[in-house]
Amino acid sequence: MPSTQLPPPVRTRSRVTPFRTGTVCALLALVVLILVAVRWSPLMTLDRTVADALHRRAVAEPGLVHANRILTDWAWDPWTMRALITVAVVALWWRGERLLAGWVAATSLLGTLVQQGLKSAVGRERPQWPDPVDSAHYAAFPSGHAMTATVSCGLLLWLLRRYGVGPRLWRTALVVACVSVVGVGLTRLYLGVHWLSDVVAGWLLGVSLVAFAIAGFAWYERRGGPWAPGRS
């Protein structure tokens, strides 16, 4: 009886690519930016409703406020996130991966410049309370904490995946990153120093920037630039 050979599996390219992810998130962030700039009434109402509800809870829960302030001012503070990126950049440089080190550092710096530029351009005021539980300075949109955490955690996850860490470490890192990114956004809302749309925009801009950075570096490697791996 003649043997039958199964045809090789058909390989399909995923439609979810870093560039497409970055494009979608950038467009969504642009939509949020426009709605905030024109003060679209439904969004302003949602922002105010969420802020009022969380502030009432925060005033009644001083212990939880203290815990949130520790998390937002220390564990998930932008400078803590930048310190983690600095450690990664130094490690890459020491390993001889100088182009990648520069790429990661430039992406982190660009994230800071984008958020500060948007804050200055939009000039959105932060929530004002007669009985604040925390304070923050400069403009509100977008949330610098949310964007910095997203960019930093995204870059660190990319590096871990790139260097093929084990599945256990990868799952742990993924959980820690997700908790950090979501958690820092929630702390800013709970402490009454940001509107919901500030945080959402920070997340979207952060994902977009990391996705474009990954796509750009992959393109450079495929192109075989003078400092790409395998080139002398």
Side-chain angles (χ1 to χ4, degrees):
M1 185 176 180
S3 61
T4 58
Q5 293 184 342
L6 295 175
V10 178
R11 297 193 178 189
T12 59
R13 291 184 63 183
S14 173
R15 295 187 178 184
V16 180
T17 64
F19 182 79
R20 289 175 179 172
T21 300
T23 301
V24 170
C25 288
L27 290 175
L28 291 175
L30 178 60
V31 170
V32 177
L33 169 61
I34 293 173
L35 295 179
V36 167
V38 301
R39 299 188 59 82
W40 189 52
S41 179
L43 181 60
M44 299 299 102
T45 301
L46 176 62
D47 279 344
R48 173 52 69 182
T49 300
V50 172
D52 287 343
L54 289 176
H55 183 67
R56 285 195 298 270
R57 292 199 58 179
V59 170
E61 299 170 333
L64 196 53
V65 167
H66 182 66
N68 274 266
R69 293 189 66 174
I70 291 175
L71 289 172
T72 195
D73 292 339
W74 294 97
W76 297 327
D77 182 77
W79 287 108
T80 303
M81 294 295 164
R82 294 181 188 121
L84 293 175
I85 291 296
T86 301
V87 171
V89 168
V90 171
L92 290 170
W93 192 274
W94 182 77
R95 288 171 55 96
E97 296 274 6
R98 296 189 175 181
L99 175 63
L100 184 56
W103 199 278
V104 171
T107 302
S108 180
L109 176 60
L110 181 58
T112 300
L113 295 176
V114 167
Q115 64 170 268
Q116 293 301 313
L118 286 174
K119 283 177 179 290
S120 178
V122 177
R124 190 184 197 187
E125 292 187 1
R126 294 178 184 268
Q128 301 294 322
W129 310 104
D131 50 352
V133 298
D134 199 1
S135 62
H137 306 288
Y138 203 35
F141 184 94
S143 167
H145 278 70
M147 185 173 176
T148 302
T150 305
V151 170
S152 301
C153 290
L155 289 173
L156 293 174
L157 286 176
W158 173 44
L159 294 176
L160 289 175
R161 175 64 80 179
R162 181 179 176 85
Y163 286 100
V165 298
R168 180 174 298 179
L169 177 57
W170 169 253
R171 287 193 296 268
T172 301
L174 186 61
V175 169
V176 171
C178 291
V179 170
S180 298
V181 170
V182 174
V184 73
L186 295 179
T187 63
R188 304 309 283 168
L189 293 174
Y190 186 81
L191 294 172
V193 293
H194 272 296
W195 307 104
L196 176 61
S197 52
D198 300 338
V199 172
V200 172
W203 285 334
L204 290 172
L205 288 168
V207 172
S208 177
L209 185 59
V210 171
F212 282 140
I214 295 172
F217 198 81
W219 174 83
Y220 185 84
E221 287 185 311
R222 289 194 303 268
R223 184 172 173 267
W227 294 286
R231 295 292 294 266
S232 60

